[in-house]
């Protein structure tokens, strides 16, 4: 956009590593220009009045003006319209930031703790890292992170991607990004988390998709993928006695095609089956009872580790 | 206050509230709202110096002038916590309402005192008790949570000092509630004959709106803080996910108070500014009703916007959008006020004594603070700025640039009434130049740091942020120097100031129609009001 390049302010922003970063910066440029104009009107007007109406003699009289309905309507209505526009513009960007696309090339479980991040890939590759191992992702393709925390709240912030999401213990949140070019991008923790809060940095390294594919399949760590481990656990916990994997109906809903489907609940509400829904249903199944099924599932809270749950979710995702 | 102030300069003067009783005991047991206001002044000023010490420590550390860091990470986090907690709970929240409000409100209404004088004194001692409890956490089990006490860090991962600090804040909350209650009843029941609700000064409208927030919101904070204590000592499992609790629930509770609390800080400042602008423009305020009702509107909307602190907390996208649009509505009454103040100067006769300079400084800084608030209210933009230095800069412009500028302006404005003496106008102006310049030098670079991505509450940062941090630190010394000059000017005024006339600024509100300083019960004869508060015809 030509007009946004008129001001140098956006140059203070980090590099624009994603398409969304460009959109955010465009809004930013607009806000800066709008603010400058407003500032000049307000403070410029004030300064002008101060000079023009400076008291010059002791017995000078001020005018007697109490109000002006038309002026007051204008300066209430115009700011309202402008702010509704800014709200709408921000909302459009926010929804893009918050809604991952359908085709995700890499999905990574990220667990925060004081003061490091662990990331696990779908094939079992796992890194415990504070700064040394970058998070490898494909460039030009979408990556989705599924975030949680072991201890306190942390926040995953990538300035170059203009995106940020808290990692909350006891809950799964998600974040997605699509770096346009290969490169290294810094990740900060932005939710205060104690002594080494400012030292909790990692890097995201985006590499060409072919290189990523080669890296992803090479030197696979461990024999079992999270989905494999989840499958074993599914058997151990006798989940199959109530949940089929082939679409047939037994006691509880089938796992086939469950992930990403729309669920209707006994109380009339509905939700999309995402990671957080699966997590909640595994740990405390009574939270949301699927319409037409009995509330029969035992509570697994306290019996499964966060990693167990993540593995089960990966297995359920794989039952298509 | 020491008993020295009760003695008069020239051996004898008329009987006034300062010499109504003598000795320290007459101050400590006083029921006079003016004396209680001054006691708050002394207390808040002391706490401000402590909070300022931590601020300078933080900035000095972040300048990285030496080869070794000035503070260890843990010490830095404690400095950051005490700076925030002291400044918010003990300086900015009580500053204008409890100090200036207590002094001015009954006189402006033409009342002899607040509705419940004993309760007023009790509120002061409750505040002192709370401040002492909170301060004891500086000695025992120091706290490093930040002033927001986010769970589960505060409940599961840090020292038990948190309990002392939240207990202190809890106690001070009662003081806040009781003061608010006192002001509301006083405003409704003790107005002078003829003073209808549309003839009360705008300072009172601001204090009235503030009081409503104090009464409705502070109990939420109290309960939240108690829950932190319960969580930490009994492990009740409301916020701890290991026990089935929800850590984000705490944020909802906390901001349900603390967002309205932002308006507890800024609304009284707006009240002060309304008084100063009209008095130093010698002109009737423009749009009295609009300013009055916009205070009430801000108070009302302030309860519906807390979720804008949590756009990236994991709350749903739709919740973020709803909180964003409601937050935008706050901008409208705020813009109305700014336009009205500026219009008040139009065809006025403006003079530039120190209080007016502070009012103009307020307008300048608050405009920047308000405009950058729109950046943060916009969801798509906030995701990048959330928890960065952009936020730090924004709220310092609003809360410090706004509230402290108004507080300083208010002190210099009402000083002649408080002590019957004038401050040195030159001293006030030098103080203003230093604070105003220093403030912009300190906090403007932080907008840029935030845009560059520097997160807040960082002990250390990337090399590319160094220059701006150093500029910021230099600015902080200017602010410190400015407040030092201000303090010296005030003390000099108390000790050696020229005698003030009853109405040195030529203002129209009732407090200027009694003597300086006022007699014990404010007026020798009850005033009768026949016109609006700013009738400069």
């Amino acid at each position: 956009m030509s007009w946004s390049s008129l001001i140098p302010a956006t140059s203070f922003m980090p590099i624009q590593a994603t398409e969304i970063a460009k959109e955010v910066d465009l809004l930013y440029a607009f806000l800066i220009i709008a603010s400058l104009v407003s500032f000049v009107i307000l403070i410029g007007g004030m300064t002008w009045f101060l000079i023009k109406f400076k008291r010059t003699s002791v017995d000078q009289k001020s005018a007697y003006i109490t109000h002006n309905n038309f002026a007051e309507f204008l300066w209430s209505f115009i700011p309202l319209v402008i702010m509704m526009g800014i709200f709408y513009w921000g909302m459009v960007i926010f929804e893009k930031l918050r809604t991952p696309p359908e085709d995700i090339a890499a999905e990574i479980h990220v667990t925060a703790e004081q003061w490091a991040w662990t990331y696990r890939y779908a094939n079992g590759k796992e890194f415990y890292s504070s700064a040394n191992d970058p998070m490898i992702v494909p460039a030009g393709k979408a990556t989705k992170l599924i975030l949680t925390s072991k201890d306190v709240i942390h926040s995953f912030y990538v300035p170059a991607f203009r995106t940020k999401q808290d990692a909350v213990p006891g809950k799964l949140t998600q974040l997605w990004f699509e770096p346009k070019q290969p490169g290294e991008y810094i990740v900060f923790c932005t939710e205060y988390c104690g002594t080494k809060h400012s030292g909790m940095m990692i890097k995201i390294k985006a590499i060409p998709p072919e290189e990523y594919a080669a890296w992803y399949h090479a030197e696979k760590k461990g024999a079992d993928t999270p989905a494999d481990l989840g499958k074993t656990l599914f058997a151990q916990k006798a989940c199959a006695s109530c949940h089929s994997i082939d679409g047939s109906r037994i006691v509880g809903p089938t796992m086939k095609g469950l992930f990403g489907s729309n669920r209707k609940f006994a109380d009339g509400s509905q939700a999309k089956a995402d990671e957080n829904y699966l997590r909640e249903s595994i740990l405390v199944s009574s939270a949301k009872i699927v319409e037409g099924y009995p509330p029969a599932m035992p509570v697994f809270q306290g019996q499964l580790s966060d990693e167990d749950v993540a593995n089960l979710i990966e297995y359920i995702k794989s039952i298509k | 206050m020491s008993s020295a102030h009760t003695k008069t300069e020239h051996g004898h003067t008329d009987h006034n509230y300062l010499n109504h009783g003598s000795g320290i005991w007459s101050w400590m047991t006083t029921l006079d709202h003016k004396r209680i206001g001054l006691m708050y002044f002394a207390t808040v000023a002391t706490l401000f110096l402590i909070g300022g010490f931590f601020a300078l420590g933080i900035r000095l550390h972040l300048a990285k002038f030496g080869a070794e860091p000035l503070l260890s990470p843990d010490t830095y986090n404690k400095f950051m916590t005490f700076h925030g907690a002291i400044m918010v709970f003990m300086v900015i929240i009580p500053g204008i309402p409890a100090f200036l409000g207590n002094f001015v409100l009954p006189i402006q209404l033409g009342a002899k005192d607040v509705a419940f004088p004993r309760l007023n004194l009790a509120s002061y001692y409750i505040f002192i008790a709370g401040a002492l409890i909170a301060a004891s956490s500086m000695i025992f089990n120091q706290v490093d949570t930040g002033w927001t006490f986010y769970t589960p860090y505060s409940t599961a991962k840090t020292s038990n000092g948190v309990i002392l600090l939240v207990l202190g804040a809890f106690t001070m909350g009662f003081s806040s509630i009781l003061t608010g209650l006192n002001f509301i009843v006083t405003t409704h029941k003790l107005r002078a004959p003829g003073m209808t609700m549309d003839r009360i000064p705008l300072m009172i409208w601001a204090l009235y709106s503030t009081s409503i927030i104090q009464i409705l919101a502070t109990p939420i904070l109290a309960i939240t803080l108690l829950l932190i204590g319960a969580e930490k000592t009994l492990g009740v499992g409301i916020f701890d996910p290991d026990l089935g609790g929800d850590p984000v629930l705490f944020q909802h509770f906390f901001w349900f108070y603390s967002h309205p609390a932002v308006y507890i800080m800024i609304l009284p400042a707006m009240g002060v500014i309304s008084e100063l602008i009209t008095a130093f423009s010698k002109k009737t305020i423009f749009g009295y009703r609009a300013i009055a009702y916009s205070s009430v509107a801000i108070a009302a909307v302030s309860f519906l916007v807390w979720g804008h602190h949590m756009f990236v907390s994991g709350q749903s996208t739709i919740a973020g959008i709803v909180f964003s649009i409601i937050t935008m509505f706050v901008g409208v009454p705020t813009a109305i006020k700014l336009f009205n103040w500026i219009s008040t100067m139009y065809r006025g006769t403006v003079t530039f004594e120190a209080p007016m300079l502070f009012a103009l400084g307020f307008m300048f800084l608050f405009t920047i603070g308000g405009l950058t608030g729109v950046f943060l209210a916009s969801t798509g933009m906030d995701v990048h700025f959330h928890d960065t230095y952009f936020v730090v800069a924004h709220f310092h412009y609003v809360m410090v640039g706004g509230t402290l500028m108004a507080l300083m302006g208010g002190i210099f404005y009402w000083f002649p009434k408080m002590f019957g003496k004038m401050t040195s106008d030159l001293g006030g102006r030098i103080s203003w130049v230093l604070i105003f310049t220093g403030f912009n030098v300190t906090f403007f670079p932080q907008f840029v740091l935030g845009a560059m991505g520097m997160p807040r509450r960082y002990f250390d940062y990337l090399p590319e942020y160094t220059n701006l941090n150093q500029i910021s630190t230099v600015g902080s010394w200017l602010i410190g120097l400015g407040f030092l000059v201000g303090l010296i000017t005030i003390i000099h005024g108390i000790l050696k100031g020229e005698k003030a006339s009853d109405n040195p600024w030529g203002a129209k509100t009732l407090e200027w129609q009694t003597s300086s300083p006022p007699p014990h019960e404010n007026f020798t004869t009850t005033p009768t009001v026949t016109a609006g508060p700013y009738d400069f015809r």
Side-chain angles (χ1 to χ4, degrees):
Chain A
M1 292 284 160
S2 53
W3 56 264
S4 68
S5 56
L6 291 175
I7 50 163
T10 48
S11 63
F12 289 119
M13 294 291 256
I15 54 159
Q16 299 171 336
T18 58
E19 278 302 316
I20 288 180
K22 278 189 184 170
E23 292 186 38
V24 171
D25 289 0
L26 192 61
L27 173 56
Y28 180 62
F30 171 80
L31 284 169
I32 290 204
I33 291 171
S35 299
L36 280 176
V37 171
S38 313
F39 185 81
V40 168
I41 291 173
L42 286 162
I43 301 303
M46 179 181 100
T47 314
W48 183 44
F49 289 170
L50 291 177
I51 296 166
K52 194 158 189 299
F53 303 111
K54 187 173 183 301
R55 192 180 186 86
T56 47
S57 67
V58 186
D59 50 358
Q60 208 179 355
K61 277 278 187 193
S62 300
Y64 185 75
I65 307 166
T66 56
H67 63 289
N68 180 325
N69 287 340
F70 181 66
E72 292 185 64
F73 169 76
L74 276 189
W75 69 50
S76 314
F77 185 71
I78 295 173
L80 179 69
V81 170
I82 296 172
M83 277 186 274
M84 286 306 104
I86 295 168
F87 155 75
Y88 182 77
W89 192 347
M91 180 189 82
V92 170
I93 294 174
F94 187 59
E95 285 187 327
K96 284 186 193 166
L97 279 165
R98 284 287 171 264
T99 318
E102 290 297 315
D103 54 331
I104 297 287
E107 217 174 77
I108 311 172
H109 278 267
V110 179
T111 306
E113 65 189 286
Q114 289 174 320
W115 289 276
W117 305 89
T118 306
Y119 23 103
R120 285 199 305 149
Y121 291 77
N123 66 355
K125 270 181 187 289
E126 182 173 315
F127 301 89
Y128 171 85
S129 169
S130 43
N132 302 325
D133 280 317
M135 175 186 284
I136 310 277
V137 299
K141 297 199 167 189
T143 297
K144 179 174 148 188
L145 307 183
I146 300 146
L147 298 154
T148 191
S149 167
K150 274 188 187 168
D151 39 42
V152 303
I153 300 177
H154 303 267
S155 192
F156 194 93
Y157 171 38
V158 197
F161 302 164
R162 312 284 186 277
T163 193
K164 181 183 287 136
Q165 176 62 55
D166 285 1
V168 184
K171 188 171 174 176
L172 299 174
T173 53
Q174 64 174 31
L175 176 75
W176 80 276
F177 49 81
E178 188 177 311
K180 291 182 294 183
Q181 302 293 333
E184 282 200 336
Y185 310 101
I186 201 143
V187 179
F188 291 122
C189 173
T190 44
E191 187 64 83
Y192 174 74
C193 60
T195 309
K196 293 182 191 162
H197 171 51
S198 63
M200 195 168 154
M201 284 184 249
I202 52 169
K203 279 182 179 158
I204 290 179
K205 188 175 180 186
I207 56 177
E210 318 79 59
E211 263 182 61
Y212 176 78
W215 171 85
Y216 183 75
H217 295 293
E219 49 154 342
K220 194 167 138 184
K221 286 185 183 171
D224 297 316
T225 66
D228 293 337
L229 293 166
K231 189 176 182 179
T232 313
L233 204 57
F234 197 80
Q236 280 172 358
K237 297 287 176 187
C239 307
S241 47
C242 295
H243 299 285
S244 77
I245 58 168
D246 59 1
S248 59
R249 177 181 174 128
I250 18 182
V251 182
T254 181
M255 295 289 114
K256 188 179 160 109
L258 169 61
F259 185 78
S261 68
N262 231 354
R263 312 302 288 173
K264 280 191 178 154
F265 305 116
D267 63 3
S269 63
Q270 50 181 321
K272 202 177 151 187
D274 59 5
E275 286 88 358
N276 220 8
Y277 164 79
L278 290 182
R279 180 184 181 281
E280 181 184 59
S281 298
I282 293 167
L283 292 177
V284 189
S285 63
S286 57
K288 294 189 178 73
I289 304 292
V290 178
E291 195 175 31
Y293 289 92
M297 181 161 150
V299 168
F300 283 93
Q301 179 126 40
Q303 299 183 41
L304 296 172
S305 69
D306 281 348
E307 202 172 321
D308 289 339
V309 175
N311 291 338
L312 277 170
I313 290 172
E314 285 312 307
Y315 173 58
I316 293 168
K317 277 181 178 174
S318 71
I319 311 169
K320 291 190 171 133
Chain B
M1 301 306 299
S2 86
S3 58
H5 306 149
T6 64
K7 292 187 185 121
T8 54
E9 191 70 16
H10 307 291
H12 76 282
T13 54
D14 294 335
H15 204 60
N16 66 51
Y17 83 102
L18 291 170
N19 59 26
H20 181 68
S22 64
I24 193 90
W25 192 244
S26 80
W27 280 84
M28 292 181 63
T29 58
T30 186
L31 300 180
D32 187 328
H33 68 95
K34 301 182 288 302
R35 285 188 167 200
I36 293 171
L38 293 189
M39 295 200 293
Y40 272 113
F41 180 23
T43 312
V44 167
T46 309
L47 290 162
F48 178 70
L49 290 177
I50 302 171
F53 163 79
F54 287 117
L56 289 175
I58 289 169
R59 284 299 349 150
L60 209 52
H61 167 85
L62 289 173
K64 290 197 195 174
F65 284 140
E68 289 291 311
L70 183 69
L71 306 172
S72 74
D74 281 324
T75 311
Y76 174 82
N77 293 338
K78 287 167 186 168
F79 267 51
M80 174 257 305
T81 303
F82 284 118
H83 168 64
I86 289 172
M87 289 305 200
V88 170
F89 293 117
M90 306 177 210
V91 176
I92 297 183
I93 288 181
I96 297 183
F99 155 40
L100 289 179
N102 246 317
F103 186 87
V104 171
L105 180 130
I107 325 183
Q108 282 197 331
L109 289 171
K112 289 178 176 168
D113 205 321
V114 292
F116 308 114
R118 282 168 205 282
L119 190 67
N120 201 18
L121 183 65
S123 307
Y124 175 73
Y125 283 112
I126 293 169
F127 178 76
I128 293 285
L132 286 176
I133 296 170
S136 65
S137 71
M138 285 193 274
I139 299 157
F140 318 108
N141 291 322
Q142 294 155 354
V143 189
D144 67 341
T145 58
W147 75 277
T148 54
F149 314 119
Y150 270 20
T151 58
Y153 186 76
S154 61
T155 52
K157 287 284 174 184
T158 191
S159 84
N160 286 326
V162 176
I163 296 174
L164 284 174
L165 193 50
V166 298
L167 202 64
F170 174 81
T171 312
M172 284 183 278
F174 277 99
S175 168
S176 190
I177 294 169
L178 295 174
T179 302
L181 183 79
N182 224 334
F183 283 3
I184 288 179
V185 177
T186 309
T187 306
H188 277 301
K189 303 304 272 186
L190 298 182
R191 301 193 304 274
M195 182 173 276
T196 51
M197 279 303 267
D198 56 7
R199 284 179 182 169
I200 60 178
L202 289 166
M203 174 75 177
I204 309 274
W205 270 112
L207 289 169
Y208 182 80
S209 313
T210 308
S211 300
I212 292 172
I213 304 178
Q214 284 176 308
I215 288 187
L216 293 180
T218 315
I220 315 280
L221 177 75
I223 292 163
T224 310
L225 295 176
L226 276 191
L227 286 174
I228 288 255
E231 188 87 10
K232 221 167 157 60
T233 51
L234 309 171
V236 290
I238 295 203
F239 305 129
D240 186 347
D242 289 344
L243 302 167
D246 181 357
V248 180
L249 181 64
F250 173 80
Q251 298 176 21
H252 283 286
F253 284 168
F254 182 81
W255 290 114
F256 193 79
Y257 164 77
S258 293
H259 195 79
V262 172
Y263 301 103
I264 296 180
M265 305 171 205
I266 200 67
L267 276 172
M270 292 168 157
V272 173
I273 298 307
S274 301
E275 299 295 315
L276 299 188
I277 298 281
T278 183
F280 291 92
S281 303
K282 296 279 181 300
K283 182 162 164 278
T284 310
I285 195 115
F286 186 91
Y288 170 87
R289 276 168 200 271
I291 296 184
Y293 297 161
S294 65
S295 287
V296 181
I298 290 174
V301 179
S302 74
F303 282 97
L304 306 172
V305 299
W306 79 92
H308 69 217
H309 293 266
M310 301 162 63
F311 287 156
V312 299
S313 69
Q315 87 184 354
S316 72
T317 310
I318 188 75
I321 288 167
V322 170
F323 282 120
S324 169
I325 194 167
I326 303 174
T327 303
M328 293 288 180
F329 290 138
V330 181
V332 176
T334 311
I336 290 174
K337 280 186 195 284
L338 281 167
F339 281 117
N340 278 301
W341 289 327
I342 292 168
S343 308
T344 302
M345 297 168 196
Y346 174 70
R347 293 179 63 195
T349 51
V350 186
T351 55
F352 299 91
E353 287 92 345
M356 183 61 165
L357 291 183
F358 280 102
L360 299 173
F362 170 96
M363 304 257 282
F364 185 97
L365 301 177
F366 188 77
T367 301
I368 296 176
L371 289 169
T372 49
V374 178
F375 288 56
L376 297 172
S378 164
T379 39
M381 203 66 244
D382 179 70
V383 172
H384 178 60
F385 286 139
H386 181 84
D387 270 342
T388 67
Y389 263 73
F390 193 93
V391 177
V392 177
H394 160 71
F395 74 72
H396 278 89
Y397 264 91
V398 175
M399 282 158 49
V400 188
T403 308
L404 285 184
M405 278 282 166
L407 185 56
M408 289 298 280
I411 291 171
F412 285 115
Y413 178 61
W414 280 297
F415 188 90
K417 191 56 58 182
M418 288 171 185
F419 299 102
K421 294 178 185 178
M422 300 300 288
T423 51
S424 148
D425 197 48
L426 182 67
R429 286 167 187 241
I430 295 173
S431 166
W432 178 80
V433 168
L434 288 168
I435 295 173
F436 181 77
T437 314
F439 192 84
N440 285 294
V441 174
T442 306
F443 293 105
F444 204 85
Q446 296 186 3
F447 284 121
V448 183
L449 281 172
M452 289 166 79
M454 179 173 165
R456 69 196 280 202
R457 297 176 166 168
Y458 262 29
F459 159 81
D460 197 5
Y461 50 78
L462 301 180
E464 56 257 46
Y465 304 145
T466 311
N467 290 342
L468 288 168
N469 267 295
Q470 289 178 341
I471 294 171
S472 186
T473 300
V474 171
S476 70
W477 297 341
L478 285 178
I479 303 179
L481 192 62
F483 278 111
L484 193 66
V485 172
L487 185 67
I488 292 169
T489 308
I490 288 166
I491 292 171
H492 176 266
I494 293 173
L495 298 177
K496 301 225 153 118
E498 283 175 39
K499 194 172 178 343
S501 64
D502 290 348
N503 189 0
W505 315 117
K508 297 286 180 184
T509 40
L510 278 186
E511 76 271 31
W512 302 106
Q513 317 309 321
T514 184
S515 57
S516 297
H520 173 56
E521 287 188 328
N522 297 344
F523 298 92
T524 39
T525 50
T526 307
T528 306
V529 179
T530 53
Y534 310 108
D535 206 29
F536 286 96
R537 256 187 270 225

